[in-house]
């Protein structure tokens, strides 16, 4: 006859297995692939001379860009959550006046010359990228967004856009609403939080990019 102690041990093993198995399943589940979005008409015709990951400062200029400084960072991963080595991330967005650095944007005279408008960076050894930019603003017909292009060696290019959680115009934005799958749409909407730990008065948000690999 099995002893009471052995029964208890078996019961404990059963409980432990019940706790562990679902976690393993979750860890192996595929992540939501970041949906592609239109490049739009304002990808730079010529890249700025200063094209680093700090869009708030343009080399050689004393002025800092107008806008709410925002640190956007994240990781570039595959569907299993493994980092994608060697990825390069580009972003571009309009300035605080809603004007892109692009000849096709009719607002060039109102453009904030202290805003870089475009930046690029390579992911680090942990698959992480980071930009210092401004909180995106709305312009006629669009809710606030930041354009992204992610280049992964051997995996082509993902073009997409990042949005800000809580923006009323998100509900009416045709490009964002064009992502029919609710979870995929949610995956490109980022919460911005105060980031006084990084820089006084700034915001931060995490946008992880999942490639279809
Ligand atoms: Fe845009």
């Amino acid at each position: 006859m099995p002893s009471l102690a052995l029964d208890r041990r078996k019961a404990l093993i059963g409980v432990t297995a019940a706790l562990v198995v679902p976690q393993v399943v979750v860890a192996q589940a595929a992540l939501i692939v970041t949906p592609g979005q239109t490049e739009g008409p304002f990808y730079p015709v010529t890249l700025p001379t200063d094209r680093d990951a700090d869009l708030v400062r343009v080399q050689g200029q004393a002025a800092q860009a107008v806008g709410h400084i925002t640190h956007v960072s994240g990781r570039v991963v595959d569907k299993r959550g493994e980092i994608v080595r060697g990825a390069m991330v580009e972003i571009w967005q309009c300035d605080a006046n809603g004007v892109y650095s692009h000849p096709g944007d009719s607002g060039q005279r109102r453009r904030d010359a202290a805003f870089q408008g475009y930046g690029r960076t390579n992911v680090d050894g942990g698959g992480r990228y980071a930009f210092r930019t401004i909180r995106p603003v709305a312009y006629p017909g669009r809710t606030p967004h930041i354009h992204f292009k992610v280049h992964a060696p051997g995996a082509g290019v993902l073009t997409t856009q990042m949005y800000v959680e809580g923006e009323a115009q998100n509900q009416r934005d045709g490009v964002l609403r064009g992502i029919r799958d609710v979870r995929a749409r949610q995956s490109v909407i980022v919460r911005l939080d105060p980031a006084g730990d990084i820089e006084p008065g700034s915001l931060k948000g995490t946008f992880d990019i999942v490639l279809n690999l």
Side-chain angles (χ1 to χ4, degrees), residues 108-177:
Q108 293 307 298
R109 278 185 310 177
R110 290 183 292 115
R111 193 170 74 79
D112 176 11
F115 183 55
Q116 196 170 287
Y118 169 95
R120 58 164 59 180
T121 188
N122 296 310
V123 296
D124 66 15
R128 188 167 291 281
Y129 73 86
F131 289 100
R132 180 172 181 253
T133 186
I134 60 169
R135 188 189 205 284
V137 302
Y139 57 84
R142 290 304 315 276
T143 194
H145 59 279
I146 300 176
H147 294 267
F148 274 73
K149 261 195 208 191
V150 182
H151 305 253
V157 180
L158 170 71
T159 303
T160 191
Q161 301 183 27
M162 184 203 105
Y163 300 84
V164 177
E165 189 177 289
E167 287 287 346
Q169 290 187 66
N170 286 351
Q171 319 286 346
R172 304 191 296 273
D173 189 272
V175 182
L176 176 56
R177 285 167 55 100

Side-chain angles (χ1 to χ4, degrees), residues 29-194:
L31 298 171
I32 297 163
V33 173
T34 304
Q37 291 259 270
T38 176
E39 176 176 304
F42 298 122
Y43 182 83
V45 175
T46 45
L47 300 185
T49 310
D50 184 0
R51 58 186 72 161
D52 68 1
D54 182 357
L55 282 68
V56 178
R57 288 275 182 196
V58 175
Q59 207 173 16
Q61 287 201 40
Q64 177 174 286
V66 177
H68 197 164
I69 293 178
T70 301
H71 295 266
V72 177
S73 65
R75 297 194 321 148
V76 180
V77 298
D78 65 18
K79 282 184 285 192
R80 294 173 307 285
E82 301 287 335
I83 62 173
V84 176
R85 295 188 191 283
M88 189 270 274
V89 182
E90 300 176 276
I91 65 169
W92 68 101
Q93 66 184 99
C94 64
D95 66 17
N97 301 319
V99 180
Y100 281 92
S101 177
H102 190 286
D105 189 318
S106 59
Q108 293 307 298
R109 278 185 310 177
R110 290 183 292 115
R111 193 170 74 79
D112 176 11
F115 183 55
Q116 196 170 287
Y118 169 95
R120 58 164 59 180
T121 188
N122 296 310
V123 296
D124 66 15
R128 188 167 291 281
Y129 73 86
F131 289 100
R132 180 172 181 253
T133 186
I134 60 169
R135 188 189 205 284
V137 302
Y139 57 84
R142 290 304 315 276
T143 194
H145 59 279
I146 300 176
H147 294 267
F148 274 73
K149 261 195 208 191
V150 182
H151 305 253
V157 180
L158 170 71
T159 303
T160 191
Q161 301 183 27
M162 184 203 105
Y163 300 84
V164 177
E165 189 177 289
E167 287 287 346
Q169 290 187 66
N170 286 351
Q171 319 286 346
R172 304 191 296 273
D173 189 272
V175 182
L176 176 56
R177 285 167 55 100
I179 307 171
R180 306 308 297 178
D181 182 89
V182 175
R183 291 170 72 208
R185 192 189 313 144
Q186 209 55 41
S187 76
V188 295
I189 301 175
V190 170
R191 193 183 75 238
L192 298 182
D193 294 310

